[in-house]
Amino acid sequence: MTEQVPTVETASATDSALSLLEEKFKNAVRRDDREGYDGLIVDPAKLVEVAAAVRDELGYDYLASAQAVDYLGAGDHLEMVYNLYRTTGGPGLALRAQTPRDTATLPSLVSVWPGADFQEREAWDLMGIRFEGHPNLQRILMWEGFHGHPLRKDWKEAYYEQDQKPFDSRWPDGNVWRSEEHNAYGKNVVYPEGFTLDGYEPVAEDAFYDEANLGVDIRPSDLDTDRIVVSLGPQHPSTHGVFRMIVTLNGETIERLQPVMGYLHRNHDKIGERNTFLQNMPFTDRLDYFCSLSNNFGYAVAVEKLMALGKRWEPPTYRAEVIRVLMAELTRILNHLVAIGFMLNDMGAYFTPLMYAIVERELILDFFEAVTGSRMMCNYFRFGGVAMDLPAQMHSTANLLNERVREFDTMQYLRELINERLPRAIDQTDDLLTTNEILTNRSIGVGVLTREQAIAHSAAGPVLRASGVPYDVRRADPYSIYPDLEFDVAVRDHGDIYDRYLVRVDEMRESVRILKQVLRLLGETEGQPFFSGRGGIYSPRVPAGEAYGRVENPKGELGFFVVSDGGQNPWRYHVRAPSFINLTALETMCKGHKVADVVTILGSIDIVLGELDR
Amino acid sequence: MYGSGILRGLGVTLKHFVNTYLDDIRWGFRRHIPDEAFPIRQGLDTRGVFTVEYPDEKLAMWERFRFIPFLVIENHDHPERPGHDWCTSCGICAKVCPPQCIWIVRGNDPETGRPVPEPQAFYIDIDICMNCGLCAEFCPFDAIKMDHDYELASYDRTSAHIFDKQRLSKEFRYWQSIAPTRAEEEAEARGGWEHKDVLKQKAKEAKAKEN
Ligand code: SF4
Ligand code: SF4
């Protein structure tokens, strides 16, 4: 008999973390050994200490996403999952803490990762987990008069019909009704116990008025000023939608700021749990509606991670990945063009830069529409590929309604777009803005977020990279064919508005660089399959387990957290929206600046309400 | 020099300003440019004015464009089955529809009680339809397709926005006219221009004849 050498497996992130933590915390940390799960389960009593050790000793300094799951009927506990990463790159670590459904209390991790602030508030609001030690545990997406915690599995919405789609009432005896008829508006309003509408004042504002100490003259310098509380929004052209900031001003200087959101909240997560896996795809379009194709990408990556746990799974074909990257990078360019346009709007360059950007965006959208069928609600990705190949011709026919016809060769259109039109458009933006003194005066040194603050607050995307952190999911935790592509991660050091603008310009240039390589790959893969599975399967099998899929969206890291119980529908579906989490640092950026700067700072973060409020 | 950046930016604006007039001169100061010029103005070579003056001018939609779905029926002058539904009420579209806005009543033969292929009723609540196109993508019979007609405004949504089978049905030649390439691709996949079941039936008969 020959002696067998034990095969040395390179330790996974979880293994190496476990060995260190076990030594220190003994039984407080254990491996999550459920099938399809990875990560560590931590005793809530030790959670803060373990988290601090994970951050300081293991180097997981970046809290990408934190979300709660309700395991009703499968352990009957609530579970908080923290997805952690190192800003130096590499795979992530999932920490979990469980708590019984009725008491539902966990220690807050805001002291370890300030980026947990909004995410814990969201978990309290929607799932009803109380976080002890959280500095401001208010509801965030709902208002105080909302009854219950809607993401709990036993909570039912006003138009509730059945736990999961497809509904039985649609076929074969589909006698149509309008939901309003069955559920007249007004009858479903239930207030929490002890809540009355008389004299209702939003809690968030109360705190501001109490603290502001109104009407007292203060003398910070030789100027007499008053403190006032101002509500910026919700209807205000600078808020990019329905969004509000309560600020305390000292004269014109910001002393405190708190974002108030949720006006567009529709509980995307709950809708996602009712839907089948595929049905969620068109809903992701509506998150960041500028970037529907890259939203699709994120969701496909997450669900494909789960599907890869199964036996009969074919990863997406090469051509599918090439098309995906083509779409994602075009989306990045159009998003950044428009984001810069909107930011300049906020600065007062009324609509000129934006309109120039819109022309270019429209040309990209024409391509999207010809390929996917829709300009903005593309619904184009499928698990294992994309819905359709690129058409040979972008072709339209006249009919009674529409008579203005166009016809382009698709590849020719793409070549011109990528090689000529877009580089010219980026140069034009550069000429128009980069050295403009009004822009530089308003943006250099304004809204600074330091490197440490950016990481601590879980900032992502251009906001993070403008603060000197070269963290780009495409490089740090690669997906799709990005490892094969040549590009640099755009990064700047000052963390102010101007650098965020410059990062966006740099990134567009890098995207063009990627697109040129993609053009070549498109030619090489011509005629190859664009989908790996069999067609016509509308309810693919997704094995039980949990996955966190992340992509680098133009606005930052977009993550989809999906839990499957092996059925047709996701058990839990959560979106880590970059617009939402980037706002955690808004107050830090705004403090000490003038009220006019707040508007510009908000513009430089580049938020979109469809994703922020979900 | 302070201000040079602004001047540089103004140069860009000036170029756009001039281009707008050059465009006008090029097309003879017509309010709506001639049809041949349209793909240039609305294409990658666009320089000046970019606007399409809806509703005086209307962009024709790309073949794959999707608005709300319609049901394909046989042409009214079809020799064998004029106006016959292509839909077999299999229910796949109702199951796959994300907002669940499709309602189908499966037809039953009054005598035998067995299901018949044509649906008795078919409704789509177009207020709820999210134009995703999944119904058309997964219909195994090419019986439901995405329309290009986007002008659906009406004065009363409560009565006018649930489309029934009659309102939804459009002749097969309409589909051929709005999406010729795709209609052809689909016919190729089916093995002929007819409905899948008709083709199957024909193949069966041909085989019977052979034997
Ligand atoms: S999927 Fe097609 S054939 Fe089946 S019910 Fe829907 S329209 Fe009819
Ligand atoms: S397009 Fe989508 S939402 Fe509309 S009926 Fe078809 S499947 Fe349903």
Side-chain angles (χ1 to χ4, degrees), chain B residues 87-93 104 122 139-141 143-144:
Chain B
C87 173
T88 61
S89 54
C90 71
I92 288 179
C93 56
I104 304 170
F122 201 111
C139 172
F141 297 96
I144 190 165

Side-chain angles (χ1 to χ4, degrees), chain B residues 12-197:
Chain B
V12 175
T13 345
L14 184 70
K15 211 164 89 197
H16 275 264
F17 181 77
V18 173
N19 273 338
T20 319
Y21 286 100
L22 288 182
D23 209 44
D24 267 347
I25 293 168
R26 188 167 171 202
W27 309 117
F29 288 96
R30 267 189 281 179
R31 174 132 181 254
H32 300 140
I33 54 166
D35 278 347
E36 350 44 285
F38 192 72
I40 301 175
R41 183 177 277 191
Q42 278 291 312
L44 292 171
D45 296 323
T46 182
R47 286 290 184 281
V49 184
F50 188 63
T51 327
V52 180
E53 290 188 24
Y54 181 85
D56 295 340
E57 296 179 284
K58 285 175 190 167
L59 268 175
M61 299 334 262
W62 305 111
E63 271 195 45
R64 288 184 181 180
F65 175 74
R66 47 185 153 82
F67 204 57
I68 59 152
F70 69 93
L71 288 173
V72 177
I73 58 171
E74 216 67 86
N75 292 336
H76 289 305
D77 54 4
H78 191 276
E80 286 131 43
R81 352 187 290 157
H84 199 285
D85 293 327
W86 277 43
C87 173
T88 61
S89 54
C90 71
I92 288 179
C93 56
K95 283 179 204 151
V96 80
C97 173
Q100 296 282 288
C101 65
I102 302 183
W103 307 70
I104 304 170
V105 182
R106 190 170 55 194
N108 284 322
D109 192 315
E111 274 159 38
T112 58
R114 299 254 302 276
V116 292
E118 291 205 325
Q120 216 172 67
F122 201 111
Y123 303 99
I124 294 182
D125 189 335
I126 59 155
D127 280 340
I128 293 179
C129 173
M130 68 198 295
N131 319 347
C132 68
L134 289 181
C135 51
E137 190 176 326
F138 288 98
C139 172
F141 297 96
D142 292 323
I144 190 165
K145 291 290 163 205
M146 300 308 283
D147 207 346
H148 287 193
D149 178 2
Y150 50 77
E151 295 185 329
L152 291 174
S154 69
Y155 284 100
D156 179 21
R157 73 182 183 90
T158 49
S159 61
H161 283 184
I162 293 183
F163 282 15
D164 59 7
K165 196 166 121 188
Q166 199 192 340
R167 174 83 210 256
L168 286 169
S169 296
K170 292 191 175 174
E171 282 180 290
F172 181 59
R173 66 161 62 90
Y174 174 73
W175 174 239
Q176 282 175 299
S177 77
I178 61 171
T181 324
R182 297 188 61 203
E184 202 167 318
E185 281 166 10
E186 287 159 10
E188 217 164 275
R190 281 198 304 275
W193 281 103
E194 301 285 326
H195 186 271
K196 208 174 181 179
D197 285 350

Side-chain angles (χ1 to χ4, degrees), chain A residues 52-90:
Chain A
V54 165
R55 182 194 62 184
D56 300 331
E57 282 160 48
L58 294 170
Y60 290 92
D61 48 354
Y62 188 71
L63 171 67
S65 180
Q67 57 271 310
V69 191
D70 182 3
Y71 283 101
L72 178 67
D76 280 331
H77 52 258
L78 298 174
E79 185 173 299
M80 193 70 191
V81 186
Y82 304 88
N83 295 102
L84 304 165
Y85 291 86
R86 295 182 170 116
T87 42
T88 46

